[in-house]
Amino acid sequence: MSETLQDIAAAMMADGQGILAADESTGTIQKRFDQIGVENTEANRQAYRELLFTADEAMKNYVSGVILFDETLRQSTLDGRRFAEVIKAAGAVPGIKVDAGAKPLALFPGEKVTEGLDGLRGRLQEYYKLGARFAKWRAVIDILPAEGLPTTGAIACNAHALARYAALCQENGIVPIVEPEVIMDGPNSHHDVDTCYKVTELTLNIVFDELYAQRVDLTGMILKPNMIVPGQNGPQVSTREVAERTVECLKATVPAAVPGIAFLSGGQSDEAATEHLAIMNQIGGFPWKMTFSYGRALQQACLKAWSGKKENVPAAQAAFKHRAKMNGLAALGRWRAEDEREAA
Protein backbone atom coordinates (compact mmCIF):
# COMPACT_ATOMS: atom_id res chain seq x y z
CA MET A 1 0.00 0.00 0.00
CA SER A 2 1.20 3.52 -0.77
CA GLU A 3 2.21 5.57 2.23
CA THR A 4 0.64 8.88 1.15
CA LEU A 5 -1.90 10.37 3.55
CA GLN A 6 -4.57 10.15 0.86
CA ASP A 7 -3.95 6.47 0.13
CA ILE A 8 -3.92 5.58 3.84
CA ALA A 9 -7.21 7.45 4.33
CA ALA A 10 -8.69 5.67 1.30
CA ALA A 11 -7.67 2.28 2.73
CA MET A 12 -9.33 3.20 6.04
CA MET A 13 -12.56 3.95 4.15
CA ALA A 14 -12.62 0.72 2.10
CA ASP A 15 -16.09 -0.25 0.88
CA GLY A 16 -18.08 -2.30 3.37
CA GLN A 17 -15.46 -2.00 6.08
CA GLY A 18 -14.90 0.20 9.13
CA ILE A 19 -12.63 0.97 12.04
CA LEU A 20 -12.44 -1.05 15.25
CA ALA A 21 -11.84 1.23 18.23
CA ALA A 22 -9.76 -0.99 20.53
CA ASP A 23 -8.02 1.92 22.22
CA GLU A 24 -9.60 1.67 25.66
CA SER A 25 -7.28 2.99 28.33
CA THR A 26 -6.40 0.73 31.25
CA GLY A 27 -9.07 2.50 33.30
CA THR A 28 -11.76 2.18 30.64
CA ILE A 29 -11.12 -1.50 29.99
CA GLN A 30 -11.39 -2.01 33.75
CA LYS A 31 -15.08 -1.07 33.44
CA ARG A 32 -15.52 -3.49 30.52
CA PHE A 33 -13.81 -6.33 32.40
CA ASP A 34 -15.76 -5.62 35.59
CA GLN A 35 -18.98 -6.34 33.68
CA ILE A 36 -17.78 -9.86 32.87
CA GLY A 37 -15.86 -10.58 36.09
CA VAL A 38 -12.39 -10.56 34.54
CA GLU A 39 -9.36 -9.21 36.39
CA ASN A 40 -7.75 -6.20 34.68
CA THR A 41 -4.20 -7.52 34.21
CA GLU A 42 -1.86 -6.97 31.29
CA ALA A 43 -2.09 -10.68 30.44
CA ASN A 44 -5.89 -10.51 30.23
CA ARG A 45 -5.79 -7.33 28.19
CA GLN A 46 -3.32 -8.97 25.81
CA ALA A 47 -5.44 -12.12 25.54
CA TYR A 48 -8.60 -10.15 24.78
CA ARG A 49 -6.94 -7.99 22.11
CA GLU A 50 -5.34 -11.09 20.53
CA LEU A 51 -8.80 -12.64 20.35
CA LEU A 52 -10.02 -9.63 18.35
CA PHE A 53 -7.07 -9.18 16.02
CA THR A 54 -6.82 -12.88 15.12
CA ALA A 55 -10.53 -13.18 14.27
CA ASP A 56 -9.57 -13.63 10.64
CA GLU A 57 -12.98 -13.52 8.97
CA ALA A 58 -14.02 -10.36 10.77
CA MET A 59 -10.69 -8.61 10.34
CA LYS A 60 -10.15 -9.44 6.68
CA ASN A 61 -13.70 -8.80 5.49
CA TYR A 62 -15.10 -5.99 7.63
CA VAL A 63 -12.29 -4.11 9.42
CA SER A 64 -10.20 -1.51 7.59
CA GLY A 65 -8.36 -0.08 10.58
CA VAL A 66 -7.80 -0.62 14.31
CA ILE A 67 -7.24 2.13 16.88
CA LEU A 68 -4.81 0.90 19.54
CA PHE A 69 -3.80 2.08 22.99
CA ASP A 70 -0.08 2.71 23.65
CA GLU A 71 0.29 -0.57 25.57
CA THR A 72 -1.49 -2.55 22.85
CA LEU A 73 0.65 -1.19 20.01
CA ARG A 74 3.69 -2.55 21.86
CA GLN A 75 2.17 -6.00 22.53
CA SER A 76 2.39 -9.24 20.56
CA THR A 77 0.46 -12.47 20.16
CA LEU A 78 1.48 -15.37 22.38
CA ASP A 79 3.39 -16.83 19.43
CA GLY A 80 5.44 -13.64 19.06
CA ARG A 81 3.77 -11.67 16.24
CA ARG A 82 3.46 -7.96 16.97
CA PHE A 83 -0.15 -6.81 16.99
CA ALA A 84 0.57 -4.11 14.39
CA GLU A 85 1.88 -6.79 12.01
CA VAL A 86 -1.11 -9.05 12.64
CA ILE A 87 -3.46 -6.17 11.81
CA LYS A 88 -1.50 -5.31 8.64
CA ALA A 89 -1.49 -8.97 7.57
CA ALA A 90 -5.30 -8.94 7.76
CA GLY A 91 -5.35 -6.00 5.35
CA ALA A 92 -6.21 -3.35 7.97
CA VAL A 93 -4.33 -0.22 8.99
CA PRO A 94 -2.90 0.01 12.54
CA GLY A 95 -3.64 3.26 14.36
CA ILE A 96 -3.00 4.80 17.78
CA LYS A 97 -4.85 6.94 20.31
CA VAL A 98 -2.55 9.85 21.17
CA ASP A 99 -4.52 12.23 23.38
CA ALA A 100 -4.03 12.31 27.14
CA GLY A 101 -7.72 12.58 28.00
CA ALA A 102 -10.17 15.38 28.75
CA LYS A 103 -9.27 17.54 31.75
CA PRO A 104 -11.13 20.46 33.42
CA LEU A 105 -10.76 23.65 31.37
CA ALA A 106 -9.45 26.52 33.49
CA LEU A 107 -12.06 29.25 34.16
CA PHE A 108 -14.78 27.26 32.34
CA PRO A 109 -16.69 25.44 35.12
CA GLY A 110 -18.17 22.14 33.96
CA GLU A 111 -16.25 22.03 30.67
CA LYS A 112 -13.20 20.10 29.56
CA VAL A 113 -10.32 20.32 27.12
CA THR A 114 -8.35 17.38 25.79
CA GLU A 115 -4.65 17.46 26.64
CA GLY A 116 -1.63 15.72 25.12
CA LEU A 117 0.02 18.16 22.71
CA ASP A 118 3.24 18.45 24.74
CA GLY A 119 5.79 16.05 23.27
CA LEU A 120 3.34 14.81 20.64
CA ARG A 121 5.73 15.22 17.70
CA GLY A 122 8.24 12.83 19.26
CA ARG A 123 5.55 10.32 20.21
CA LEU A 124 4.15 10.34 16.68
CA GLN A 125 7.61 9.64 15.27
CA GLU A 126 7.96 6.67 17.61
CA TYR A 127 4.45 5.39 16.81
CA TYR A 128 5.22 5.59 13.09
CA LYS A 129 8.28 3.37 13.63
CA LEU A 130 6.08 0.95 15.59
CA GLY A 131 3.74 0.65 12.59
CA ALA A 132 0.94 3.15 13.23
CA ARG A 133 -0.29 4.99 10.14
CA PHE A 134 -3.20 6.89 11.63
CA ALA A 135 -3.99 8.44 14.99
CA LYS A 136 -7.01 9.52 17.02
CA TRP A 137 -7.68 12.51 19.27
CA ARG A 138 -11.06 12.91 21.02
CA ALA A 139 -12.56 16.18 22.17
CA VAL A 140 -15.54 16.05 24.56
CA ILE A 141 -18.41 18.56 24.29
CA ASP A 142 -21.12 18.28 26.95
CA ILE A 143 -24.59 19.76 26.49
CA LEU A 144 -26.04 21.29 29.67
CA PRO A 145 -28.47 24.00 28.52
CA ALA A 146 -29.54 24.96 32.05
CA GLU A 147 -25.93 25.87 32.80
CA GLY A 148 -25.31 27.59 29.48
CA LEU A 149 -23.06 24.79 28.24
CA PRO A 150 -21.30 24.30 26.00
CA THR A 151 -19.68 27.71 25.62
CA THR A 152 -18.17 28.86 22.36
CA GLY A 153 -14.89 29.41 24.20
CA ALA A 154 -14.62 25.79 25.27
CA ILE A 155 -15.56 24.52 21.81
CA ALA A 156 -12.91 26.78 20.25
CA CYS A 157 -10.26 25.61 22.71
CA ASN A 158 -10.94 21.96 21.84
CA ALA A 159 -11.08 22.70 18.12
CA HIS A 160 -7.70 24.42 18.25
CA ALA A 161 -6.16 21.41 20.01
CA LEU A 162 -7.69 19.05 17.45
CA ALA A 163 -6.24 21.11 14.61
CA ARG A 164 -2.75 21.31 16.12
CA TYR A 165 -2.83 17.53 16.69
CA ALA A 166 -3.95 16.94 13.09
CA ALA A 167 -1.17 19.13 11.71
CA LEU A 168 1.46 17.28 13.75
CA CYS A 169 0.11 13.95 12.51
CA GLN A 170 0.30 14.97 8.86
CA GLU A 171 3.80 16.38 9.33
CA ASN A 172 4.83 12.87 10.39
CA GLY A 173 3.04 10.85 7.70
CA ILE A 174 0.13 9.84 9.94
CA VAL A 175 -3.55 10.31 9.03
CA PRO A 176 -5.42 12.11 11.83
CA ILE A 177 -8.86 11.00 12.91
CA VAL A 178 -10.48 14.21 14.15
CA GLU A 179 -13.08 13.35 16.81
CA PRO A 180 -15.18 16.17 18.26
CA GLU A 181 -17.79 14.26 20.27
CA VAL A 182 -20.96 15.97 21.40
CA ILE A 183 -22.00 13.73 24.29
CA MET A 184 -25.44 12.06 24.34
CA ASP A 185 -25.12 9.85 27.42
CA GLY A 186 -24.80 10.62 31.10
CA PRO A 187 -27.27 11.37 33.91
CA ASN A 188 -27.70 15.01 32.84
CA SER A 189 -28.27 14.35 29.14
CA HIS A 190 -31.80 15.72 28.85
CA HIS A 191 -31.37 17.71 25.63
CA ASP A 192 -33.54 17.21 22.54
CA VAL A 193 -32.44 16.41 19.00
CA ASP A 194 -32.64 20.09 17.91
CA THR A 195 -30.15 21.08 20.60
CA CYS A 196 -27.77 18.32 19.53
CA TYR A 197 -28.03 19.56 15.94
CA LYS A 198 -27.25 23.18 16.87
CA VAL A 199 -24.29 22.28 19.11
CA THR A 200 -22.86 19.80 16.59
CA GLU A 201 -23.25 22.30 13.74
CA LEU A 202 -21.44 25.00 15.73
CA THR A 203 -18.72 22.58 16.83
CA LEU A 204 -18.00 21.27 13.33
CA ASN A 205 -17.91 24.78 11.85
CA ILE A 206 -15.36 25.88 14.46
CA VAL A 207 -13.33 22.68 14.03
CA PHE A 208 -13.02 23.12 10.27
CA ASP A 209 -12.13 26.81 10.67
CA GLU A 210 -9.27 25.74 12.96
CA LEU A 211 -8.17 22.92 10.64
CA TYR A 212 -7.96 25.47 7.81
CA ALA A 213 -6.03 27.92 10.00
CA GLN A 214 -3.51 25.19 10.91
CA ARG A 215 -3.06 24.24 7.21
CA VAL A 216 -4.36 20.70 7.67
CA ASP A 217 -4.87 18.87 4.36
CA LEU A 218 -8.52 17.85 4.46
CA THR A 219 -7.91 15.13 1.86
CA GLY A 220 -5.61 13.34 4.30
CA MET A 221 -7.83 13.14 7.40
CA ILE A 222 -10.92 11.29 8.63
CA LEU A 223 -13.73 12.90 10.63
CA LYS A 224 -15.17 10.91 13.56
CA PRO A 225 -18.32 12.75 14.67
CA ASN A 226 -21.32 11.95 16.80
CA MET A 227 -24.67 11.37 15.16
CA ILE A 228 -27.48 13.87 15.74
CA VAL A 229 -29.22 12.11 18.61
CA PRO A 230 -31.11 13.44 21.63
CA GLY A 231 -29.64 12.98 25.09
CA GLN A 232 -30.31 9.56 26.54
CA ASN A 233 -32.70 11.14 29.06
CA GLY A 234 -34.24 13.56 26.56
CA PRO A 235 -37.24 13.17 24.22
CA GLN A 236 -36.40 10.34 21.81
CA VAL A 237 -36.96 10.35 18.04
CA SER A 238 -37.13 7.74 15.31
CA THR A 239 -34.04 6.15 13.75
CA ARG A 240 -35.06 7.76 10.46
CA GLU A 241 -35.03 11.24 12.00
CA VAL A 242 -31.59 10.65 13.53
CA ALA A 243 -30.23 9.61 10.13
CA GLU A 244 -31.85 12.49 8.26
CA ARG A 245 -30.76 15.15 10.76
CA THR A 246 -27.21 13.76 10.82
CA VAL A 247 -26.89 13.87 7.04
CA GLU A 248 -28.37 17.38 7.02
CA CYS A 249 -25.91 18.63 9.65
CA LEU A 250 -22.86 17.10 7.99
CA LYS A 251 -23.81 18.47 4.56
CA ALA A 252 -24.02 21.91 6.13
CA THR A 253 -20.60 21.75 7.79
CA VAL A 254 -18.15 19.19 6.35
CA PRO A 255 -16.17 20.14 3.23
CA ALA A 256 -16.38 17.74 0.30
CA ALA A 257 -12.59 17.38 0.35
CA VAL A 258 -12.79 15.15 3.44
CA PRO A 259 -12.57 11.57 2.12
CA GLY A 260 -14.53 9.85 4.85
CA ILE A 261 -16.65 10.04 7.96
CA ALA A 262 -16.38 7.22 10.51
CA PHE A 263 -19.04 7.62 13.17
CA LEU A 264 -18.64 6.96 16.87
CA SER A 265 -21.46 5.00 18.51
CA GLY A 266 -21.56 7.24 21.58
CA GLY A 267 -23.65 5.24 24.00
CA GLN A 268 -26.12 3.89 21.44
CA SER A 269 -27.16 0.25 21.54
CA ASP A 270 -25.37 -2.12 19.15
CA GLU A 271 -28.29 -2.36 16.73
CA ALA A 272 -29.25 1.33 16.89
CA ALA A 273 -25.71 2.34 15.88
CA THR A 274 -25.89 -0.11 12.97
CA GLU A 275 -29.37 0.94 11.86
CA HIS A 276 -28.59 4.66 11.92
CA LEU A 277 -25.52 4.11 9.73
CA ALA A 278 -27.47 1.93 7.31
CA ILE A 279 -30.26 4.48 6.86
CA MET A 280 -27.76 7.30 6.25
CA ASN A 281 -26.09 5.30 3.50
CA GLN A 282 -29.50 4.48 2.02
CA ILE A 283 -30.33 8.19 1.96
CA GLY A 284 -27.07 8.98 0.17
CA GLY A 285 -26.45 12.19 -1.72
CA PHE A 286 -23.29 13.18 0.14
CA PRO A 287 -19.70 13.50 -1.15
CA TRP A 288 -17.89 11.43 1.50
CA LYS A 289 -17.89 7.75 2.38
CA MET A 290 -19.66 7.03 5.66
CA THR A 291 -18.70 4.10 7.85
CA PHE A 292 -18.24 3.12 11.48
CA SER A 293 -15.53 3.58 14.08
CA TYR A 294 -17.15 1.74 16.95
CA GLY A 295 -15.72 0.46 20.21
CA ARG A 296 -18.33 -0.82 22.62
CA ALA A 297 -20.93 -1.30 19.85
CA LEU A 298 -18.57 -3.75 18.11
CA GLN A 299 -17.17 -5.43 21.21
CA GLN A 300 -19.93 -5.79 23.81
CA ALA A 301 -21.35 -9.09 22.54
CA CYS A 302 -17.83 -10.42 21.99
CA LEU A 303 -16.72 -9.52 25.53
CA LYS A 304 -19.76 -11.18 27.05
CA ALA A 305 -19.21 -14.35 25.02
CA TRP A 306 -15.54 -14.49 26.01
CA SER A 307 -15.87 -13.77 29.75
CA GLY A 308 -12.15 -14.33 30.16
CA LYS A 309 -12.23 -18.04 29.31
CA LYS A 310 -9.91 -19.52 26.71
CA GLU A 311 -12.48 -22.12 25.67
CA ASN A 312 -14.89 -19.29 24.76
CA VAL A 313 -12.57 -17.67 22.20
CA PRO A 314 -14.29 -19.21 19.12
CA ALA A 315 -17.73 -18.07 20.33
CA ALA A 316 -16.38 -14.61 21.12
CA GLN A 317 -14.77 -14.29 17.69
CA ALA A 318 -18.06 -15.38 16.09
CA ALA A 319 -19.90 -12.65 18.02
CA PHE A 320 -17.32 -10.08 16.91
CA LYS A 321 -17.62 -11.24 13.30
CA HIS A 322 -21.42 -10.91 13.42
CA ARG A 323 -21.36 -7.32 14.66
CA ALA A 324 -18.56 -6.39 12.24
CA LYS A 325 -20.53 -7.92 9.36
CA MET A 326 -23.72 -6.08 10.34
CA ASN A 327 -21.87 -2.78 10.36
CA GLY A 328 -20.10 -3.62 7.12
CA LEU A 329 -23.53 -4.08 5.53
CA ALA A 330 -24.67 -0.79 7.07
CA ALA A 331 -21.68 1.00 5.55
CA LEU A 332 -22.97 -0.17 2.17
CA GLY A 333 -26.58 0.72 3.00
CA ARG A 334 -27.55 -2.97 2.75
CA TRP A 335 -28.27 -3.84 6.40
CA ARG A 336 -31.76 -5.12 7.23
CA ALA A 337 -33.22 -5.85 10.65
CA GLU A 338 -33.74 -9.48 9.69
CA ASP A 339 -29.97 -9.83 9.17
CA GLU A 340 -29.59 -9.58 12.95
CA ARG A 341 -31.42 -12.85 13.40
CA GLU A 342 -28.82 -14.90 11.57
CA ALA A 343 -26.57 -16.96 13.83
CA ALA A 344 -23.66 -14.91 15.11
Side-chain angles (χ1 to χ4, degrees), residues 20 52 55 58-59 63 298 302 316-325:
L20 166 63
L52 291 171
M59 290 292 297
V63 176
L298 268 179
C302 172
Q317 289 181 327
F320 172 46
K321 175 195 167 187
H322 177 71
R323 285 262 49 88
K325 180 180 180 181

Side-chain angles (χ1 to χ4, degrees), residues 203-336:
T203 298
L204 290 174
N205 277 325
I206 294 174
V207 165
F208 279 102
D209 282 347
E210 287 287 349
L211 289 168
Y212 179 79
Q214 297 299 322
R215 302 181 177 179
V216 172
D217 182 351
L218 300 187
T219 68
M221 62 159 278
I222 302 294
L223 179 68
K224 182 172 178 176
N226 54 282
M227 298 179 195
I228 305 302
V229 291
Q232 67 177 16
N233 297 313
Q236 299 302 298
V237 298
S238 68
T239 52
R240 181 78 189 184
E241 182 170 353
V242 167
E244 289 176 347
R245 297 299 297 275
T246 303
V247 171
E248 178 189 0
C249 185
L250 295 173
K251 288 173 79 170
T253 55
V254 182
V258 174
I261 294 173
F263 289 98
L264 57 91
S265 51
Q268 301 177 52
S269 70
D270 298 359
E271 288 191 28
T274 302
E275 185 174 5
H276 288 144
L277 177 62
I279 296 173
M280 281 187 271
N281 278 302
Q282 289 161 10
I283 292 170
F286 37 78
W288 340 271
K289 288 188 175 181
M290 282 191 182
T291 191
F292 57 93
S293 178
Y294 296 163
R296 187 207 49 75
L298 268 179
Q299 297 182 49
Q300 190 66 24
C302 172
L303 263 172
K304 187 176 179 181
W306 175 57
S307 293
K309 298 176 182 176
K310 190 173 182 180
E311 62 269 26
N312 290 343
V313 166
Q317 289 181 327
F320 172 46
K321 175 195 167 187
H322 177 71
R323 285 262 49 88
K325 180 180 180 181
M326 293 301 98
N327 286 298
L329 289 170
L332 297 170
R334 297 176 187 167
W335 175 89
R336 302 169 303 161

Side-chain angles (χ1 to χ4, degrees), residues 160-239:
H160 181 73
L162 276 167
R164 288 188 60 201
Y165 139 82
L168 282 164
C169 284
Q170 291 189 339
E171 175 192 77
N172 289 285
I174 288 176
V175 171
I177 289 184
V178 174
E179 181 179 358
E181 179 179 2
V182 176
I183 301 293
M184 62 83 75
D185 56 356
N188 296 314
S189 297
H190 298 284
H191 58 273
D192 60 18
V193 72
D194 290 333
T195 302
C196 181
Y197 185 104
K198 291 173 185 174
V199 172
T200 303
E201 181 182 44
L202 175 63
T203 298
L204 290 174
N205 277 325
I206 294 174
V207 165
F208 279 102
D209 282 347
E210 287 287 349
L211 289 168
Y212 179 79
Q214 297 299 322
R215 302 181 177 179
V216 172
D217 182 351
L218 300 187
T219 68
M221 62 159 278
I222 302 294
L223 179 68
K224 182 172 178 176
N226 54 282
M227 298 179 195
I228 305 302
V229 291
Q232 67 177 16
N233 297 313
Q236 299 302 298
V237 298
S238 68
T239 52

